[in-house]
Amino acid sequence: MPRNKRLQDRDEKCKEIIDAAQTLFLQAGYDATAMSKLAQAVGIAPNTIYWYFKDKDEVLVAVLTAELSSRMTLYMQQSFDSTSARVLWFMQQLEQTGKLVSVVHARLSVSPAIYAWHQRFHDLIDGLMRLELQQLGVSTERMDALQHIWTFSMEGVLIHALSDAQKAAICDALLHLR
């Protein structure tokens, strides 16, 4: 009689699924990663994933949330000489999941979970940019417009392949809008 696998904590199994999904989504792509392939990578039956996640979009949201959380933690630990260098570093960190940005935009209208995550992403980036702009002394009247310009620019940089020099030039130009 085969022995049962040891019982695994729910959070631990979720993290295992998220880690495998991140690898597969970034290597093969979201659309090319079937739930059965993800289950195989984790070593579970395909229907087991649905004990942890409602659907593939929910897995994607978990991957994006984990990535963003990790990048934000690193961001808070960094020390830079300028706002431009700090924002450029953050853009470069987010670029590591840039392939998933187009997936998010493609699925916004069909997935409430992804739509909600995208809204939270914008709120977070808007808030982050607001703090950066406040530290630079940007006037209250210009704050909303500039933080949105920064957020949309950051998202654009994630979608389009640009050199580090081009990204740095964008950050510097945006800072001069204040």
Side-chain angles (χ1 to χ4, degrees), residues 71 80 85-98 154 157-158 162-165 167-168:
R71 302 300 169 205
F80 293 97
R86 187 172 35 256
V87 173
L88 177 60
W89 179 89
F90 190 62
M91 279 183 189
Q92 291 167 331
Q93 292 297 302
L94 291 177
E95 262 185 320
Q96 295 175 27
T97 56
M154 187 174 292
V157 166
L158 295 175
L162 300 173
S163 70
D164 286 343
K167 289 180 269 194

mmCIF file of all heavy atoms in Angstrom, residues 71 80 85-98 154 157-158 162-165 167-168:
data_model
loop_
_atom_site.group_PDB
_atom_site.id
_atom_site.type_symbol
_atom_site.label_atom_id
_atom_site.label_comp_id
_atom_site.label_asym_id
_atom_site.label_seq_id
_atom_site.Cartn_x
_atom_site.Cartn_y
_atom_site.Cartn_z
ATOM 1 N N ARG A 71 8.964 43.228 -4.385
ATOM 2 C CA ARG A 71 9.646 44.413 -4.944
ATOM 3 C C ARG A 71 9.465 45.633 -4.050
ATOM 4 O O ARG A 71 10.370 46.431 -3.886
ATOM 5 C CB ARG A 71 9.147 44.714 -6.356
ATOM 6 C CG ARG A 71 9.334 43.592 -7.328
ATOM 7 C CD ARG A 71 10.771 43.200 -7.505
ATOM 8 N NE ARG A 71 10.832 41.959 -8.257
ATOM 9 C CZ ARG A 71 11.836 41.114 -8.194
ATOM 10 N NH1 ARG A 71 12.873 41.373 -7.452
ATOM 11 N NH2 ARG A 71 11.819 40.011 -8.885
ATOM 12 N N PHE A 80 19.103 55.733 -2.196
ATOM 13 C CA PHE A 80 19.552 56.284 -3.470
ATOM 14 C C PHE A 80 19.887 57.756 -3.306
ATOM 15 O O PHE A 80 19.376 58.435 -2.417
ATOM 16 C CB PHE A 80 18.471 56.132 -4.542
ATOM 17 C CG PHE A 80 18.196 54.710 -4.916
ATOM 18 C CD1 PHE A 80 17.139 54.023 -4.336
ATOM 19 C CD2 PHE A 80 18.993 54.059 -5.824
ATOM 20 C CE1 PHE A 80 16.884 52.705 -4.680
ATOM 21 C CE2 PHE A 80 18.753 52.740 -6.162
ATOM 22 C CZ PHE A 80 17.701 52.065 -5.596
ATOM 23 N N ALA A 85 16.885 57.975 -9.619
ATOM 24 C CA ALA A 85 17.569 56.678 -9.472
ATOM 25 C C ALA A 85 16.682 55.677 -8.734
ATOM 26 O O ALA A 85 16.641 54.498 -9.087
ATOM 27 C CB ALA A 85 18.890 56.861 -8.728
ATOM 28 N N ARG A 86 15.954 56.150 -7.730
ATOM 29 C CA ARG A 86 15.076 55.274 -6.950
ATOM 30 C C ARG A 86 13.917 54.748 -7.817
ATOM 31 O O ARG A 86 13.624 53.552 -7.835
ATOM 32 C CB ARG A 86 14.541 56.015 -5.723
ATOM 33 C CG ARG A 86 13.755 55.160 -4.775
ATOM 34 C CD ARG A 86 13.389 55.834 -3.450
ATOM 35 N NE ARG A 86 13.103 57.247 -3.501
ATOM 36 C CZ ARG A 86 13.953 58.207 -3.094
ATOM 37 N NH1 ARG A 86 15.138 57.911 -2.629
ATOM 38 N NH2 ARG A 86 13.600 59.476 -3.165
ATOM 39 N N VAL A 87 13.294 55.633 -8.570
ATOM 40 C CA VAL A 87 12.169 55.235 -9.420
ATOM 41 C C VAL A 87 12.655 54.347 -10.561
ATOM 42 O O VAL A 87 12.008 53.350 -10.897
ATOM 43 C CB VAL A 87 11.406 56.468 -9.938
ATOM 44 C CG1 VAL A 87 10.351 56.069 -10.946
ATOM 45 C CG2 VAL A 87 10.763 57.214 -8.771
ATOM 46 N N LEU A 88 13.806 54.657 -11.130
ATOM 47 C CA LEU A 88 14.376 53.822 -12.182
ATOM 48 C C LEU A 88 14.647 52.408 -11.651
ATOM 49 O O LEU A 88 14.339 51.414 -12.314
ATOM 50 C CB LEU A 88 15.657 54.439 -12.732
ATOM 51 C CG LEU A 88 16.397 53.636 -13.799
ATOM 52 C CD1 LEU A 88 15.510 53.418 -15.019
ATOM 53 C CD2 LEU A 88 17.687 54.341 -14.187
ATOM 54 N N TRP A 89 15.201 52.312 -10.453
ATOM 55 C CA TRP A 89 15.464 51.006 -9.845
ATOM 56 C C TRP A 89 14.156 50.224 -9.699
ATOM 57 O O TRP A 89 14.097 49.043 -10.029
ATOM 58 C CB TRP A 89 16.123 51.175 -8.482
ATOM 59 C CG TRP A 89 16.404 49.881 -7.809
ATOM 60 C CD1 TRP A 89 17.535 49.118 -7.926
ATOM 61 C CD2 TRP A 89 15.539 49.162 -6.920
ATOM 62 N NE1 TRP A 89 17.418 47.975 -7.171
ATOM 63 C CE2 TRP A 89 16.199 47.972 -6.542
ATOM 64 C CE3 TRP A 89 14.269 49.397 -6.417
ATOM 65 C CZ2 TRP A 89 15.635 47.037 -5.684
ATOM 66 C CZ3 TRP A 89 13.701 48.469 -5.559
ATOM 67 C CH2 TRP A 89 14.388 47.309 -5.197
ATOM 68 N N PHE A 90 13.104 50.902 -9.245
ATOM 69 C CA PHE A 90 11.814 50.232 -9.060
ATOM 70 C C PHE A 90 11.257 49.753 -10.402
ATOM 71 O O PHE A 90 10.748 48.639 -10.513
ATOM 72 C CB PHE A 90 10.836 51.174 -8.352
ATOM 73 C CG PHE A 90 9.577 50.505 -7.898
ATOM 74 C CD1 PHE A 90 9.609 49.478 -6.973
ATOM 75 C CD2 PHE A 90 8.342 50.908 -8.380
ATOM 76 C CE1 PHE A 90 8.441 48.852 -6.549
ATOM 77 C CE2 PHE A 90 7.170 50.297 -7.962
ATOM 78 C CZ PHE A 90 7.231 49.260 -7.041
ATOM 79 N N MET A 91 11.363 50.575 -11.427
ATOM 80 C CA MET A 91 10.910 50.172 -12.764
ATOM 81 C C MET A 91 11.649 48.912 -13.216
ATOM 82 O O MET A 91 11.045 47.988 -13.746
ATOM 83 C CB MET A 91 11.175 51.283 -13.782
ATOM 84 C CG MET A 91 10.186 52.382 -13.815
ATOM 85 S SD MET A 91 10.656 53.509 -15.153
ATOM 86 C CE MET A 91 9.541 54.859 -14.831
ATOM 87 N N GLN A 92 12.950 48.909 -13.000
ATOM 88 C CA GLN A 92 13.751 47.753 -13.409
ATOM 89 C C GLN A 92 13.350 46.498 -12.634
ATOM 90 O O GLN A 92 13.362 45.398 -13.187
ATOM 91 C CB GLN A 92 15.237 48.053 -13.243
ATOM 92 C CG GLN A 92 15.727 49.077 -14.240
ATOM 93 C CD GLN A 92 17.097 49.620 -13.916
ATOM 94 O OE1 GLN A 92 17.517 49.685 -12.764
ATOM 95 N NE2 GLN A 92 17.814 50.042 -14.953
ATOM 96 N N GLN A 93 12.991 46.651 -11.405
ATOM 97 C CA GLN A 93 12.532 45.510 -10.614
ATOM 98 C C GLN A 93 11.214 44.966 -11.163
ATOM 99 O O GLN A 93 11.041 43.761 -11.304
ATOM 100 C CB GLN A 93 12.354 45.908 -9.141
ATOM 101 C CG GLN A 93 13.642 46.224 -8.425
ATOM 102 C CD GLN A 93 14.550 45.020 -8.365
ATOM 103 O OE1 GLN A 93 14.188 43.980 -7.848
ATOM 104 N NE2 GLN A 93 15.742 45.168 -8.903
ATOM 105 N N LEU A 94 10.297 45.861 -11.472
ATOM 106 C CA LEU A 94 8.999 45.438 -11.998
ATOM 107 C C LEU A 94 9.114 44.836 -13.395
ATOM 108 O O LEU A 94 8.301 44.003 -13.783
ATOM 109 C CB LEU A 94 8.015 46.611 -12.011
ATOM 110 C CG LEU A 94 7.553 47.117 -10.650
ATOM 111 C CD1 LEU A 94 6.643 48.319 -10.827
ATOM 112 C CD2 LEU A 94 6.863 46.033 -9.849
ATOM 113 N N GLU A 95 10.130 45.242 -14.127
ATOM 114 C CA GLU A 95 10.331 44.720 -15.480
ATOM 115 C C GLU A 95 10.492 43.208 -15.504
ATOM 116 O O GLU A 95 10.216 42.570 -16.507
ATOM 117 C CB GLU A 95 11.588 45.329 -16.094
ATOM 118 C CG GLU A 95 11.307 46.477 -16.991
ATOM 119 C CD GLU A 95 12.576 46.943 -17.654
ATOM 120 O OE1 GLU A 95 13.635 46.998 -17.015
ATOM 121 O OE2 GLU A 95 12.488 47.273 -18.844
ATOM 122 N N GLN A 96 10.938 42.642 -14.408
ATOM 123 C CA GLN A 96 11.150 41.204 -14.365
ATOM 124 C C GLN A 96 9.849 40.433 -14.579
ATOM 125 O O GLN A 96 9.866 39.273 -14.959
ATOM 126 C CB GLN A 96 11.830 40.807 -13.054
ATOM 127 C CG GLN A 96 13.228 41.401 -12.961
ATOM 128 C CD GLN A 96 13.899 41.139 -11.638
ATOM 129 O OE1 GLN A 96 13.608 40.157 -10.971
ATOM 130 N NE2 GLN A 96 14.804 42.011 -11.253
ATOM 131 N N THR A 97 8.736 41.082 -14.342
ATOM 132 C CA THR A 97 7.440 40.460 -14.620
ATOM 133 C C THR A 97 6.711 41.201 -15.744
ATOM 134 O O THR A 97 5.507 41.071 -15.896
ATOM 135 C CB THR A 97 6.555 40.432 -13.357
ATOM 136 O OG1 THR A 97 6.423 41.766 -12.863
ATOM 137 C CG2 THR A 97 7.128 39.528 -12.295
ATOM 138 N N GLY A 98 7.464 41.940 -16.529
ATOM 139 C CA GLY A 98 6.889 42.740 -17.606
ATOM 140 C C GLY A 98 6.040 41.951 -18.589
ATOM 141 O O GLY A 98 5.063 42.463 -19.124
ATOM 142 N N MET A 154 5.290 54.495 -16.047
ATOM 143 C CA MET A 154 5.898 53.287 -15.509
ATOM 144 C C MET A 154 5.289 52.060 -16.170
ATOM 145 O O MET A 154 5.997 51.129 -16.556
ATOM 146 C CB MET A 154 5.719 53.225 -13.986
ATOM 147 C CG MET A 154 6.476 52.072 -13.356
ATOM 148 S SD MET A 154 6.417 52.074 -11.561
ATOM 149 C CE MET A 154 7.389 53.513 -11.176
ATOM 150 N N VAL A 157 6.670 51.708 -19.672
ATOM 151 C CA VAL A 157 8.037 51.195 -19.668
ATOM 152 C C VAL A 157 8.036 49.679 -19.480
ATOM 153 O O VAL A 157 8.846 48.966 -20.072
ATOM 154 C CB VAL A 157 8.886 51.896 -18.580
ATOM 155 C CG1 VAL A 157 10.182 51.157 -18.318
ATOM 156 C CG2 VAL A 157 9.161 53.346 -18.985
ATOM 157 N N LEU A 158 7.095 49.186 -18.685
ATOM 158 C CA LEU A 158 7.021 47.744 -18.458
ATOM 159 C C LEU A 158 6.575 46.985 -19.705
ATOM 160 O O LEU A 158 6.944 45.836 -19.903
ATOM 161 C CB LEU A 158 6.067 47.439 -17.302
ATOM 162 C CG LEU A 158 6.503 47.945 -15.933
ATOM 163 C CD1 LEU A 158 5.419 47.679 -14.903
ATOM 164 C CD2 LEU A 158 7.813 47.330 -15.509
ATOM 165 N N LEU A 162 12.817 48.990 -23.575
ATOM 166 C CA LEU A 162 13.630 50.194 -23.674
ATOM 167 C C LEU A 162 14.988 49.923 -23.026
ATOM 168 O O LEU A 162 15.094 49.108 -22.107
ATOM 169 C CB LEU A 162 12.958 51.366 -22.956
ATOM 170 C CG LEU A 162 11.577 51.795 -23.446
ATOM 171 C CD1 LEU A 162 10.998 52.856 -22.518
ATOM 172 C CD2 LEU A 162 11.670 52.335 -24.858
ATOM 173 N N SER A 163 15.976 50.642 -23.468
ATOM 174 C CA SER A 163 17.299 50.507 -22.859
ATOM 175 C C SER A 163 17.299 51.191 -21.498
ATOM 176 O O SER A 163 16.422 52.021 -21.199
ATOM 177 C CB SER A 163 18.362 51.141 -23.747
ATOM 178 O OG SER A 163 18.214 52.560 -23.738
ATOM 179 N N ASP A 164 18.274 50.867 -20.677
ATOM 180 C CA ASP A 164 18.395 51.528 -19.377
ATOM 181 C C ASP A 164 18.570 53.032 -19.551
ATOM 182 O O ASP A 164 18.042 53.822 -18.775
ATOM 183 C CB ASP A 164 19.556 50.943 -18.576
ATOM 184 C CG ASP A 164 19.244 49.568 -18.015
ATOM 185 O OD1 ASP A 164 18.040 49.202 -17.960
ATOM 186 O OD2 ASP A 164 20.186 48.855 -17.621
ATOM 187 N N ALA A 165 19.309 53.436 -20.580
ATOM 188 C CA ALA A 165 19.518 54.861 -20.837
ATOM 189 C C ALA A 165 18.191 55.552 -21.183
ATOM 190 O O ALA A 165 17.923 56.672 -20.720
ATOM 191 C CB ALA A 165 20.523 55.050 -21.965
ATOM 192 N N LYS A 167 15.177 54.552 -20.244
ATOM 193 C CA LYS A 167 14.367 54.596 -19.014
ATOM 194 C C LYS A 167 14.853 55.708 -18.091
ATOM 195 O O LYS A 167 14.048 56.434 -17.504
ATOM 196 C CB LYS A 167 14.401 53.244 -18.310
ATOM 197 C CG LYS A 167 13.624 52.175 -19.044
ATOM 198 C CD LYS A 167 13.678 50.864 -18.315
ATOM 199 C CE LYS A 167 14.865 50.110 -18.853
ATOM 200 N NZ LYS A 167 14.958 48.735 -18.542
ATOM 201 N N ALA A 168 16.172 55.832 -17.976
ATOM 202 C CA ALA A 168 16.728 56.892 -17.123
ATOM 203 C C ALA A 168 16.336 58.264 -17.663
ATOM 204 O O ALA A 168 15.992 59.170 -16.889
ATOM 205 C CB ALA A 168 18.249 56.747 -17.034
#
